[in-house]
C-alpha cells in the first residue's frame, strides 16, 4: 500500500526532532551542540508540552549523554540521542561500548568539522573519526532523507539479528538548517512501521538476571570482536530489506547506495550526503549534452557496501572520489581508501582520483563538480591519476 | 571449561546469562611456577594458608594442600614458609 503524506516546509533539524517525536522513544539523553542544537531543543519542547512520553535526561556533557543512553538501552528501553562534531568526539570511548554491547541506540549527527581552528560548519570529520566504532552509519542527502532514515534506523537497530547502534548523519548547516518540503508520515503509520520494541536482553528482567559487558581477556575478547564484526556485516541485507519495506509504504525506496546514471558511465563521481544533490544537477546537465557521466551516492558507509560499490564502478574508465574529511599524513580520504582497496583485486579496474573538498563548510558548487568531470577526462588521456587534489582552496 | 567460538557469541554479545559461573573459570592456567609441599618438613603452621592472596591453599582439618585449579603460582607461600617446606617448580607444558 502506498501513502500520500501531507506536505510541510521544515528545517532538517526540526524534521529530525519531529521524526523522534513520532517514534516517541522511552529515553532520550542528550546535550545540545551546534549544528544539531535544535534537535535537542525542539525535542525537549515536545517533552515539556507532554507531546511525548519520553524520559528526557538533560546531562552535563555528551560523554554522559552516551553513557546514559547505554544504561537506558541496557535496561531495555528504546533510546535516541543527537550530537555533532566535538560532542561526538567526546562520546568516543562510549561509542565503542554501545556497539560492542549490542545496544540499538539511534543517534542523529549533524556532521560538522572538528577544531582547531574552531568551526561550526559542515564536513564529515566527526563521522569519520567514529568510523571504526562499530556503529552503522547512514548519510542523508536532504531533509526528507533525514526524516525517513530515522524511522529506518530504529527498524535496523532493533532488528533481532542486528542489535547495533545507528548513526543518522546529515551535513551540518547545509541540510540541518535548510528549509525544504517534507512529506510526512502519520503517527499511526510510524507506529506500525517501527513496531513495538522488545529487547532481547534487559537488565531489569529480574526473572532472567544477566551480567553485561564482563571482563574478557586474551582467551575470549577476540571471539567477541569477530562476532560483533559479523553482526554489522550481516546488517547489510537487513538495511536493504528495511529500505524496500519503507518504499512500499511511502513510495520512497532506499538502498545502501544509489546509482545515478552509472550503468553506462565512463566517468563517475562518488560522494556522500548533501553533495550528491549538487552532483546530480551536474550529471543531468552533462547527460543532456550526451556526455557519459554518472554519480554514485554512498548512503550507508558502515557497514561498507563493497559488493554494490564494486558492481556500480567496475565498468567506469575514471572515478573521482569526493571525501569531505581530511586524513592528515595520508594520501587520500577514508572513502577513497575504502573503495580503492576494495576494487584492487579486479583484473580490469577504473583509474581512481582522490579529492578532498568542503572542509569546515566550504561550498562545493556545480562549477566545481563540472571541473572534476573535466579533470577525470584529462586523467583518462594521461592514463594515471594526479595525486590528492583539494577542491576550492586558495593556493 | 570449553571456551566458545565466535559463532556462538553472535546471538548474545558480551552477556553472561547464568549466575555464579566464575567458578568454571580455572585461573590456574595463568601459572608458570607451581608450589609443591614437602610434607616431611611441613609443620602445619598454617602460614601459607594465611598468606595465600587467592585462598588457593586449603586445609582439610589435618594437613594443608594446594588447589591447583586456582593457584596462580605467585610464590608468596614459598617465601613465607618458615621451614622452607614449599618449593616453586616450573610448570611442564
Amino acid at each position: 500500500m502506498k501513502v500520500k503524506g501531507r506536505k510541510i516546509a521544515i528545517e532538517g533539524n526540526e524534521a529530525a526532532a519531529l521524526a523522534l517525536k513520532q517514534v516517541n522513544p522511552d529515553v532520550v539523553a542528550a546535550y545540545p551542540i551546534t549544528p544539531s542544537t535544535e534537535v535537542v531543543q525542539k525535542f525537549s519542547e515536545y517533552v515539556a508540552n507532554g507531546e511525548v512520553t519520553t524520559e528526557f535526561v538533560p546531562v552535563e556533557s555528551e560523554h554522559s549523554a552516551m553513557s546514559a543512553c547505554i544504561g537506558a538501552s541496557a535496561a531495555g528501553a528504546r533510546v535516541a540521542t543527537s550530537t555533532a562534531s566535538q560532542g561526538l568526539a567526546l562520546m568516543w570511548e562510549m561509542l565503542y561500548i554501545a556497539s560492542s554491547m549490542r545496544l540499538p541506540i539511534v543517534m542523529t549527527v549533524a556532521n560538522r568539522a572538528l577544531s582547531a581552528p574552531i568551526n561550526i560548519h559542515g564536513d564529515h570529520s566527526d563521522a569519520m573519526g567514529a568510523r571504526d566504532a562499530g556503529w552503522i552509519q547512514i548519510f542523508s542527502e536532504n531533509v526528507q532523507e533525514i526524516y525517513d532514515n530515522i524511522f529506518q534506523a530504529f527498524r535496523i537497530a532493533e532488528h533481532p539479528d542486528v542489535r547495533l547502534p545507528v548513526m543518522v548523519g546529515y551535513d551540518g548547516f547545509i541540510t540541518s538548517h535548510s528549509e525544504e518540503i517534507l512529506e510526512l508520515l502519520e503517527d499511526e503509520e510510524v507506529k506500525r512501521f517501527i513496531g513495538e520494541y522488545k529487547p532481547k536482553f534487559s537488565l531489569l528482567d529480574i526473572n532472567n538476571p544477566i551480567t553485561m559487558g564482563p571482563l574478557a581477556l586474551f582467551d575470549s575478547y577476540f571471539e567477541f570482536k569477530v562476532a560483533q564484526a559479523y553482526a554489522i556485516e550481516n546488517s547489510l541485507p537487513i538495511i536493504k530489506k528495511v529500505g524496500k519495506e519503507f518504499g512500499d509504504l511511502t513510495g520512497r525506496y532506499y538502498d545502501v547506495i544509489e546509482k545515478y546514471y552509472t550503468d553506462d558511465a565512463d566517468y563517475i563521481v562518488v560522494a556522500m550526503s548533501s553533495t550528491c544533490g549538487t552532483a546530480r544537477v551536474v550529471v543531468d546537465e552533462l547527460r543532456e549534452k550526451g556526455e557519459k557521466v554518472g554519480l554514485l551516492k554512498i548512503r550507508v558507509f558502515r557497514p561498507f557496501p563493497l559488493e554494490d560499490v564494486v558492481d556500480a564502478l567496475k565498468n567506469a574508465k575514471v572515478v573521482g572520489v569526493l571525501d569531505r574529511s581530511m586524513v592528515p599524513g595520508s594520501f587520500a580520504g577514508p572513502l577513497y581508501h575504502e573503495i580503492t582497496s576494495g576494487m584492487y583485486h579486479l583484473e580490469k579496474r577504473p583509474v581512481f582520483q582522490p579529492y578532498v573538498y568542503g572542509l569546515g563548510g566550504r561550498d562545493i558548487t556545480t562549477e566545481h563538480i563540472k571541473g572534476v568531470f573535466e579533470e577525470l577526462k584529462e586523467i583518462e588521456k594521461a592514463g594515471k591519476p594526479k595525486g590528492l587534489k583539494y577542491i576550492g582552496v586558495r593556493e | 571449561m570449553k571456551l566458545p567460538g565466535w559463532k556462538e557469541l553472535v546471538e548474545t554479545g558480551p552477556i553472561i546469562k547464568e549466575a555464579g559461573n566464575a567458578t568454571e573459570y580455572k585461573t590456574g592456567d595463568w601459572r608458570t611456577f607451581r608450589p609443591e609441599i614437602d610434607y616431611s618438613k611441613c609443620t602445619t603452621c598454617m602460614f601459607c594458608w594465611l598468606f595465600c592472596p587467592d585462598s588457593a591453599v586449603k586445609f582439610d582439618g589435618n594437613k594443608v594442600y594446594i588447589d591447583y585449579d586456582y593457584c596462580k603460582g605467585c610464590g608468596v607461600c614459598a617465601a613465607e614458609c618458615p621451614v622452607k617446606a614449599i618449593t616453586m617448580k616450573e610448570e611442564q607444558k
Side-chain angles (χ1 to χ4, degrees), chain A residues 121-390:
Chain A
H121 290 278
D123 71 28
H124 298 165
S125 311
D126 53 3
M128 290 306 153
R131 76 180 191 275
D132 299 342
W135 282 58
I136 292 171
Q137 293 184 311
I138 303 176
F139 287 85
S140 323
E141 184 185 324
N142 51 39
V143 173
Q144 184 72 57
E145 284 192 18
I146 299 173
Y147 182 79
D148 294 352
N149 280 339
I150 288 171
F151 300 134
Q152 292 174 66
F154 277 96
R155 274 292 300 279
I156 296 159
E158 293 167 2
H159 191 286
D161 295 340
V162 180
R163 297 181 6 257
L164 285 168
V166 182
M167 234 180 257
V168 177
Y170 49 95
D171 282 346
F173 279 108
I174 300 163
T175 321
S176 68
H177 287 62
S178 34
E179 193 104 4
E180 289 179 10
I181 296 173
L182 177 74
E183 194 174 309
L184 294 172
L185 274 94
E186 296 305 324
D187 294 2
E188 277 314 303
E189 290 159 358
V190 172
K191 281 203 170 35
R192 254 203 313 276
F193 182 74
I194 61 170
E196 200 129 319
Y197 174 47
K198 291 186 189 65
K200 195 164 186 160
F201 301 103
S202 158
L203 286 177
L204 295 183
D205 181 359
I206 49 174
N207 299 317
N208 302 295
I210 51 165
T211 302
M212 272 192 167
L215 181 78
L217 298 173
F218 48 71
D219 57 5
S220 304
Y221 179 86
F222 205 163
E223 278 76 16
F224 280 115
K225 283 293 160 194
V226 174
Q228 185 194 339
Y230 175 82
I232 191 165
E233 280 162 38
N234 225 26
S235 68
L236 261 181
I238 291 161
I239 296 171
K240 288 183 179 202
K241 204 178 91 217
V242 170
K244 192 189 164 301
E245 217 175 295
F246 190 82
D248 292 340
L249 175 72
T250 61
R252 297 186 295 275
Y253 287 88
Y254 286 89
D255 201 346
V256 289
I257 58 167
E258 188 191 326
K259 296 189 285 188
Y260 195 68
Y261 290 107
T262 53
D263 286 348
D264 64 339
D266 291 335
Y267 313 103
I268 298 177
V269 157
V270 186
M272 292 200 297
S273 224
S274 66
T275 308
C276 297
T278 315
R280 219 183 289 268
V281 174
V282 177
V283 169
D284 287 347
E285 217 174 289
L286 296 178
R287 276 277 167 182
E288 263 178 37
K289 292 181 187 160
E291 296 192 32
K292 286 188 153 183
V293 296
L295 158 75
L296 178 67
K297 168 173 142 185
I298 309 286
R299 173 176 168 252
V300 177
F301 181 72
R302 280 284 180 268
F304 194 76
L306 187 59
E307 268 177 47
D308 301 70
V309 171
V310 170
D311 189 58
L313 297 179
K314 64 176 192 284
N315 297 323
K317 287 176 179 161
V318 192
V319 176
V321 182
L322 267 51
D323 264 292
R324 198 162 197 156
S325 59
M326 175 86 100
V327 186
S330 180
F331 47 86
L335 194 55
Y336 174 89
H337 284 304
E338 208 82 33
I339 294 172
T340 48
S341 56
M343 307 273 288
Y344 185 74
H345 64 283
L346 297 179
E347 201 69 18
K348 179 184 150 292
R349 55 178 181 258
V351 177
F352 285 95
Q353 171 60 36
Y355 291 94
V356 164
Y357 76 97
L359 298 187
R362 176 66 53 92
D363 272 343
I364 179 145
T365 64
T366 50
E367 288 308 311
H368 286 135
I369 293 174
K370 271 182 212 159
V372 168
F373 278 122
E374 284 307 311
E375 199 156 43
L376 296 187
K377 283 176 213 161
E378 286 168 31
I379 288 165
E380 192 203 354
K381 284 196 192 88
K384 63 177 199 304
K386 297 179 173 183
L388 179 60
K389 302 278 285 191
Y390 298 112

